[in-house]
Amino acid sequence: MEKEVVLNQTHSRHTLLWLIIIFQFSLLFFSAFSAEITARKILKDKSKKSPKVRLEKTDEKVIINNGIVEVTIEKPTGHLLGIKYNGIDNVLETKNDNDNRGYWDIVWDHDMYDKLATRHVIIITESDELVELSFTRVWNKTKDHDISAPVSVDKRYIVRRGVPGVYMYGIFKRRKYFPHTYIHQLRIVFKLKEDKFHFMALSDTQQRIMPRREDREHSHCQVLAYPEAVLLTNPINPKLKGEVDDKYQYSIESKDNKLHGWIADHDAVGFWIITPSDEFRTGGPHKQDLTSHVGPTALSMFVSNHYTGKDIAEFYKEGVAWKKAFGPVLIYLNSATFDHAHRYRKSLWKDAKKRLSKEIKSWPYSFAASKDYPHADHRGEVSGQLQVRDKYLHKQLMKAKSAFVGLAAPGRAGSWQTEGKGYQFWTQTDRAGHFSIKNVRRGKYNLYAWVHGFIGNYKLDRNVSVHPGHKKNLGTLIYDPPRSGPTLWEIGIPDRTAAEFFIPDPNPTFVNSILNHEGEKFRQYGLWDRYSDTYPHHDLVFKVGASNYSRDWFFAHVPRRTGNDTKATTWKIKFKLQEVKKSGKYTLQMALAAANFAEVQVRINTPDGSPHFTTNRIGYDNAVARHGIHGLYRLYSINVPGKGLRGGNNTIFLTQTRCKDEFMAVMYDYIRLEGPAV
């Protein structure tokens, strides 16, 4: 009997356990089912909460409204008149004329200027999901000669359902009979409401309250060495008194220039330019350009000669047809809850970065309708592995880690940095030198590269043809950097910048507090003058084996200021050689990071007489005045006969001869003396 009771109890416990398991399983099932139903309901509700896109037309304008933003565009000029968002009737400055709020502009030939007003408007797509409009102008030799840039224009606007912003892109075209021209600049400009947008954000570290437009008027500032740079003497915001403002201090390299904009503090609203790809920009990944600046102004730069000068290839010949699509870029608006501690600024910036990531993942867009903007299925991919061969550094092949590898128009090695008519596609290698360049437009390209730590430019010795939907693996590629013999000594790091050299603190009188990060120190105003402060009586002398380039090599070889004049400067590199092969061939590798109306003369063991080598007059990049740490890269491999050297003490004299103004200068990237080949 007792045994039977025990068995019954055991059976009851087993039954109870199974009931609990069945109950829990049922609970999980119904929870999952409920979650799915809820998710569907949320998606359905979200769809309900995202109104359909609607288009309204009048004689003077078109209005696209998706329930989040209302975008108003002038007919037929294509000028952006307004963007209504989150209770702000217009984020653009309504006091400005219609052609001075949101507009494309172009500078061509001898500083001729055109705001690219169009003549016709076409509805490309009108649906509940999106509206795309085309504003066009076909260049007419009779009507437009010497009045409008000789290029036909198609400006596109896209507003999508549920997206708080507007996409903009343009297709520019030249027929063979169009006259030759130089295109110096092409961009989109946004002039925001001056009484609202005061806080500018360019990066995680470059953010602050900005001066007002009035602060740059003569009664509020002192103009410095050039009109773009001013010292704020009587700003509206007294906290900015004594600071410098210069739009070139806010420049960024193309590879990093993907997000910047403004915040309207009292409304906690952000206005952002998002550029998910730089395939349509000129000059490659390291080309620097403007972003946002006092106005408040926000720019989407497509073509410019900033930091390159006229070396960049923007000459368009008569007899050669050309067409290129610029963009799309997204003008993105967001909002947050206002708080007096300004935490909303961080929220808006974080959200804008999140949106940027989303746009990058969506590139190339599937919704842009122009046949000149190919979607993903009409693009190809190129991959491979890059290795470096330099027997003087390592007997084995070396992995080209973190190298920049790109496809650009066919040309000579390094020509990508002055190329602007075509498209460029760049990536960086992994630690093993592998690379994959995705979403490449159909076409014929050259493959280019440069490798951190090695001088020179790589170019594959054959063309690369890209076809839609095809993946091309180039296999293992070998780069042989310029090298004649073993390294005897070196100064700097081969990285195409002067960032590793001595960058002085700015004069306390000329500080911009937005540049308070060590990595942005070179963008402070007036650093060229600090050379004369550092070397008031004699020029720089660098002693190999004793000097430190991060402390003893000034970042820019500039003229010396003497009163109101400037004069040429000669830098000395002193070094010892244990022995010299008089019949041997030595090589001085001199890599420049920038040059502006400059000439470097090289002399060996004598400061006077004819130079052993001269660069002649080079460069237009104006990187010193525009606060860049580099412009265009140049490399000179200079033959030094052994008979010109001595066993024991030697001196190389580097004279920058041009000195009509303080901005005639070069920046060195790297200098190396090589011995005879072994």
Side-chain angles (χ1 to χ4, degrees):
M1 183 69 178
E2 185 176 335
K3 184 176 181 180
E4 184 178 345
V5 171
V6 172
L7 288 173
N8 287 338
Q9 289 176 344
T10 302
H11 177 74
S12 298
R13 284 198 296 268
H14 287 167
T15 302
L16 180 61
L17 181 61
W18 276 108
L19 287 173
I20 291 172
I21 291 172
I22 292 170
F23 175 76
Q24 289 179 334
F25 178 79
S26 301
L27 187 63
L28 287 172
F29 174 80
F30 284 113
S31 295
F33 181 75
S34 177
E36 184 178 351
I37 296 298
T38 303
R40 289 178 180 177
K41 185 176 184 296
I42 289 172
L43 288 174
K44 188 176 180 181
D45 290 345
K46 188 175 182 181
S47 177
K48 287 181 179 179
K49 291 178 182 177
S50 297
K52 301 173 182 179
V53 184
R54 289 291 177 256
L55 175 65
E56 177 186 346
K57 303 178 288 291
T58 70
D59 291 340
E60 295 84 21
K61 58 191 176 183
V62 291
I63 302 169
I64 315 173
N65 192 330
N66 68 359
I68 307 172
V69 294
E70 182 181 279
V71 179
T72 304
I73 310 159
E74 186 178 56
K75 289 173 56 181
T77 64
H79 297 318
L80 182 61
L81 299 181
I83 302 176
K84 183 177 181 179
Y85 173 74
N86 202 51
I88 302 178
D89 287 338
N90 197 342
V91 299
L92 304 179
E93 183 48 76
T94 54
K95 293 186 294 185
N96 291 357
D97 293 337
N98 287 358
D99 66 350
N100 196 31
R101 299 181 187 181
Y103 56 91
W104 290 74
D105 68 10
I106 191 170
V107 179
W108 86 101
D109 286 354
H110 302 292
D111 291 331
M112 299 183 74
Y113 181 72
D114 181 7
K115 284 192 174 179
L116 298 172
T118 48
R119 300 186 177 115
H120 306 282
V121 56
I122 304 169
I123 300 173
I124 302 297
T125 306
E126 183 178 8
S127 71
D128 292 345
E129 298 304 314
L130 71 80
V131 167
E132 178 169 352
L133 302 180
S134 168
F135 293 81
T136 61
R137 182 185 78 188
V138 177
W139 190 81
N140 183 291
K141 189 172 183 178
T142 303
K143 294 180 181 179
D144 299 325
H145 187 66
D146 289 337
I147 298 174
S148 300
V151 60
S152 294
V153 182
D154 181 356
K155 301 186 295 189
R156 299 289 183 104
Y157 291 87
I158 301 175
V159 175
R160 299 174 62 204
R161 187 175 191 171
V163 177
V166 54
Y167 295 87
M168 298 175 65
Y169 68 113
I171 300 97
F172 290 74
K173 183 177 181 179
R174 282 176 50 84
R175 297 193 179 276
K176 288 185 177 181
Y177 63 84
F178 286 12
H180 67 260
T181 187
Y182 280 95
I183 296 179
H184 303 292
Q185 180 173 275
L186 177 65
R187 62 184 186 173
I188 311 177
V189 183
F190 302 93
K191 303 288 184 69
L192 305 184
K193 285 196 74 72
E194 296 179 22
D195 62 346
K196 288 186 176 294
F197 291 91
H198 302 149
F199 189 87
M200 185 179 77
L202 310 177
S203 68
D204 289 340
T205 58
Q206 289 178 280
Q207 302 184 10
R208 77 155 188 186
I209 291 284
M210 290 293 288
R212 306 287 184 90
R213 180 182 56 81
E214 299 93 324
D215 292 337
R216 294 183 55 87
E217 296 175 356
H218 290 297
S219 59
H220 292 271
C221 70
Q222 172 192 340
V223 177
L224 299 174
Y226 42 86
E228 292 88 347
V230 300
L231 180 66
L232 305 176
T233 55
N234 185 29
I236 294 172
N237 182 348
K239 293 181 180 179
L240 299 177
K241 184 175 181 179
E243 292 213 10
V244 168
D245 178 70
D246 181 348
K247 66 182 181 180
Y248 290 107
Q249 292 181 313
Y250 316 125
S251 296
I252 297 176
E253 287 189 355
S254 281
K255 65 181 177 62
D256 303 316
N257 186 1
K258 297 184 180 300
L259 171 67
H260 62 89
W262 293 81
I263 291 173
D265 273 331
H266 294 298
D267 302 275
V269 163
F271 178 100
W272 310 101
I273 297 180
I274 291 178
T275 309
S277 170
D278 54 6
E279 65 182 50
F280 40 78
R281 286 177 172 155
T282 59
H286 310 295
K287 168 80 166 65
Q288 299 166 92
D289 224 322
L290 300 173
T291 54
S292 291
H293 59 78
V294 168
T297 299
L299 303 173
S300 181
M301 301 293 300
F302 300 120
V303 175
S304 86
N305 54 21
H306 299 141
Y307 302 94
T308 60
K310 62 183 182 181
D311 282 324
I312 199 159
E314 297 299 344
F315 178 65
Y316 297 80
K317 295 180 180 179
E318 185 173 358
V320 178
W322 170 82
K323 182 165 59 174
K324 187 173 181 179
F326 296 93
V329 298
L330 170 61
I331 310 310
Y332 177 67
L333 293 102
N334 58 2
S335 61
T337 303
F338 177 83
D339 67 276
H340 292 285
H342 304 303
R343 285 186 291 269
Y344 58 85
R345 292 175 181 166
K346 185 176 181 180
S347 298
L348 292 171
W349 175 250
K350 183 178 179 180
D351 174 73
K353 291 203 300 180
K354 184 178 179 180
R355 186 72 200 198
L356 169 63
S357 296
K358 182 176 181 178
E359 298 300 317
I360 290 173
K361 290 176 182 177
S362 300
W363 187 273
Y365 296 137
S366 60
F367 52 82
S370 172
K371 61 182 177 58
D372 297 307
Y373 177 75
H375 298 169
D377 58 346
H378 283 78
R379 296 180 179 231
E381 181 178 337
V382 176
S383 60
Q385 182 185 30
L386 183 64
Q387 298 187 338
V388 180
R389 180 167 51 204
D390 186 338
K391 69 177 183 178
Y392 293 102
L393 288 183
H394 203 284
K395 292 181 180 180
Q396 305 297 322
L397 291 174
M398 294 169 282
K399 311 297 185 186
K401 62 180 180 180
S402 300
F404 283 87
V405 182
L407 294 166
R412 57 179 174 76
S415 61
W416 51 268
Q417 64 177 342
T418 56
E419 205 287 313
K421 296 185 180 70
Y423 301 94
Q424 298 197 28
F425 302 87
W426 287 85
T427 190
Q428 278 188 275
T429 59
D430 63 17
R431 294 182 62 84
H434 294 105
F435 63 88
S436 178
I437 307 174
K438 299 178 180 179
N439 295 316
V440 182
R441 288 168 170 260
R442 176 203 296 266
K444 183 174 70 175
Y445 302 89
N446 279 163
L447 183 94
Y448 303 95
W450 74 270
V451 187
H452 187 279
F454 297 90
I455 60 175
N457 292 285
Y458 172 81
K459 174 193 167 185
L460 184 62
D461 58 1
R462 63 183 184 274
N463 291 336
V464 177
S465 294
V466 176
H467 302 284
H470 289 192
K471 295 183 179 182
K472 178 171 291 190
N473 191 317
L474 300 175
T476 299
L477 311 175
I478 308 298
Y479 174 44
D480 294 291
R483 167 78 75 169
S484 298
T487 299
L488 300 180
W489 52 258
E490 59 187 348
I491 301 172
I493 302 170
D495 62 357
R496 296 177 175 246
T497 81
E500 72 270 28
F501 297 128
F502 175 65
I503 300 174
D505 292 330
N507 185 321
T509 307
F510 302 120
V511 172
N512 186 332
S513 62
I514 198 174
L515 306 170
N516 57 6
H517 189 267
E518 186 66 23
E520 297 146 1
K521 186 178 179 181
F522 64 87
R523 293 206 182 275
Q524 293 285 3
Y525 175 85
L527 298 186
W528 56 85
D529 262 347
R530 302 299 275 170
Y531 176 79
S532 300
D533 297 335
T534 306
Y535 300 96
H537 305 300
H538 58 80
D539 285 323
L540 182 152
V541 177
F542 189 89
K543 297 179 180 179
V544 174
S547 299
N548 183 319
Y549 62 74
S550 65
R551 182 184 63 242
D552 303 315
W553 189 273
F554 202 78
F555 80 101
H557 193 162
V558 295
R560 180 190 284 106
R561 170 179 34 83
T562 56
N564 294 325
D565 296 324
T566 54
K567 70 175 187 177
T569 49
T570 298
W571 291 8
K572 300 175 186 177
I573 304 174
K574 292 182 174 291
F575 60 98
K576 290 183 179 181
L577 295 176
Q578 294 298 321
E579 59 178 351
V580 174
K581 293 182 180 180
K582 293 296 183 180
S583 61
K585 175 188 173 184
Y586 293 73
T587 303
L588 183 68
Q589 303 284 8
M590 184 173 73
L592 301 182
N596 186 60
F597 291 93
E599 179 182 1
V600 178
Q601 294 182 354
V602 180
R603 292 176 174 84
I604 311 292
N605 285 326
T606 176
D608 304 314
S610 299
H612 175 77
F613 170 84
T614 178
T615 61
N616 294 312
R617 200 213 62 74
I618 52 172
Y620 308 93
D621 58 36
N622 210 16
V624 170
R626 289 176 171 170
H627 322 293
I629 200 61
H630 71 85
L632 294 180
Y633 177 81
R634 292 174 171 85
L635 175 65
Y636 300 93
S637 297
I638 305 166
N639 179 33
V640 180
K643 63 183 180 180
L645 297 170
R646 301 189 281 249
N649 295 324
N650 292 266
T651 303
I652 291 177
F653 299 88
L654 303 176
T655 302
Q656 202 297 97
T657 64
R658 309 278 172 148
C659 56
K660 287 185 179 179
D661 67 50
E662 52 203 335
F663 305 123
M664 293 182 171
V666 297
M667 296 181 192
Y668 299 98
D669 166 41
Y670 175 76
I671 300 175
R672 179 173 76 212
L673 182 65
E674 298 170 355
V678 293

